[in-house]
Amino acid sequence: MTANHRFHPTVLREYDIRGVIGKTLGPDDARAIGQGFGTLVVRAGGTRVAIGYDGRLSSPELEQACVEGLMSTGLEVIRIGLGPTPMLYFTVRHLELDAGLMITGSHNPPDYNGFKMMLGKGPVYGEQIQEIGRLVHGQDLVTGAGSFRKLDVSEDYINRLAADYDGTRDLTIVWDAGNGAVGHVLRRLTDKLPGKHILLFEEVDGTFPNHHPDPTVPENLEDLIHAVHTHKADIGIGFDGDGDRIGAVDEHGDIIWGDQLLAIYAADVLKSHPGATIIADVKSSQTLYDDIAKNGGKPLMWKTGHSLLKAKMAETGSPLAGEMSGHIFFADKYYGFDDAPYCGVRLAGLVSREGSLAKLKSVLPPVFNTPEVRFQVDEERKFKAVDEIVARAKALAGKGVEVNDIDGVRVKTEDGWWLLRASNTQDVLVARAEAFSEAGLERLKGSIRDQLSQSGIQAPEGF
Ligand SMILES: [Zn+2]
C-alpha cells in the first residue's frame, strides 16, 4: 500500500464500511482497514481477532488483504472463512476473542462489498468508524509481528443454533438462502432439526442469480411463498445476503413483517422473562408496543440502526430487541446479536409448540399502513426540516397527540401514528403511517403532507 492511504469519502459510514468494488473500495482499502481497526483493537488491550467473509466474488481477495493489515499491528488473526455474519459474531463470543471483522456487502448489489466490525461484545459504529479513517489518514498505526491460523467453527456454530430448538411437533419448513452466505451452513443445520426441510438456493453464489437476498422486499419472497404453497409448509423463512436479517411467511404464504415477528417472539420470551424490557425501532407498528405491554413486558422505542439497538439492549439488559428490517436480537438464551439462522430455529420451535404462524399473528389487531416510503431531499435540509417538524408537532402535543423525537418525529394520534425521520446514511427522508381505519390513514397521510409542505418539501408519491 502507499504510505498515505486515503479512503474514498463515501465508504466510512455510520454503521459499517461499504463501497463499490473497483470504484470506491478495493484490496488496498481492506489492508488499510485491517491496520486501522487492528490499531483500535491493540490500543484497547486486545490480542486476538476473528475474520470471516460472505459469498461475494470480491470477498476472498479483500479478506486476504485485510488479514495482512491486521497482522501488521501484531494481532493473532483467526480466519474462519466463508459463512454468515452471525457465525463471525458467534466465534468472537464463543472463543472469547477481543474483536471480529466481517467482510460483507450484506443485501447490496453484487458489485458492493464492505466491513462490519465488533470490539469486545459491542458493535463498532459512528465515531469509532471515523476514528479508523483518522488513524489511517494520519498514519497513526500500531506495528507488530502478528500471526494467523485458519479455524473451521461451522460445526460448533451449527450445534449451538440447533441446541435451542424447543419444538414438540414436526413441521414442514421452507428455507430460502437466496444464494447468500447462510447457504454455507443451512443444510447441516436443518439436518439437525426434526421435521421436513425444503431448501431453496442454498448454493452460495455472489452473483445472486435467483433473486436479490433482501427478505424485506416482497418480490424477493415470491419463490419462498410459492414453495410454501407447493409443499403445504408450516413456515417459510428467508435471509438477507449475510444472514443477519430474517424474513418469514406463514402457512398461507402471507408475509410476516419484522415488527410482527418481534411481537410473536416477545410474547414467548416474556413467559420466561416476565416484565422484561423489549426494544423495537421507531418504524415498528404501535400494535407491537401494545402487545408487549399486554403481555406484561416493558416496550421501549429506540432509534433505527442495528448497532444502536444492540448497544441499547446491552445497556438495559433487555432479553429481546428487533427492527422492521428483520434484524432481531435474542439475549434470553443466546448472545444478543442479530443471528437470522438462530431466529429461524426459534421460530420453528415456537410454531411447533404454539400452533400455526398465522394464528400467532392473528392476535395483533388489523391495521392500515403505508410501507416505509423513502424520498430524496436536499442533504442540507434533511435534519433541519425534521427539527422544524418536531417543533411544530410538539406545539400540538396534549389534546390527544403524543410526540416522540428519539429518532426523527413519531406522532401518535387517535387515528394511529405517523413518522418522518432523516436517514443517517443517505440524503433521504423516510415516511410511514399506520392507522386503525382507512379514513384514519388518509388523515395521517394528510398530516405528513401538511408538515412537509410547511417545511417547503414536496411530499413523496402515494402521500
Ligand atoms: Zn445483513
Side-chain angles (χ1 to χ4, degrees), residues 1-23:
M1 69 174 281
T2 54
N4 48 351
H5 184 83
R6 303 294 305 179
F7 291 113
H8 191 276
T10 57
V11 304
L12 301 175
R13 296 151 37 93
E14 180 67 18
Y15 305 120
D16 55 19
I17 297 174
R18 188 188 300 168
V20 181
I21 295 301
K23 294 206 176 87

Side-chain angles (χ1 to χ4, degrees), residues 85 104-107 116 213 240-245 306 327 338:
T85 295
T104 176
S106 191
H107 60 279
K116 289 179 183 171
D240 81 331
D242 67 327
D244 58 6
R245 294 193 294 125
H306 63 97
H327 285 282
D338 33 354

Side-chain angles (χ1 to χ4, degrees), residues 396-459:
L396 297 172
K399 308 168 203 155
V401 175
E402 283 174 44
V403 179
N404 183 322
D405 62 351
I406 191 88
D407 183 7
V409 53
R410 177 161 162 149
V411 177
K412 192 175 165 191
T413 75
E414 56 192 14
D415 283 322
W417 59 273
W418 59 266
L419 170 80
L420 277 168
R421 67 178 284 273
S423 165
N424 287 314
T425 53
Q426 291 169 293
D427 59 346
V428 299
L429 286 182
V430 176
R432 204 181 171 217
E434 177 186 88
F436 297 106
S437 71
E438 215 144 351
L441 184 61
E442 286 312 311
R443 282 191 289 273
L444 295 175
K445 283 157 75 173
S447 299
I448 292 179
R449 269 198 309 275
D450 179 44
Q451 288 293 345
L452 288 172
S453 103
Q454 286 191 56
S455 281
I457 294 171
Q458 169 97 43

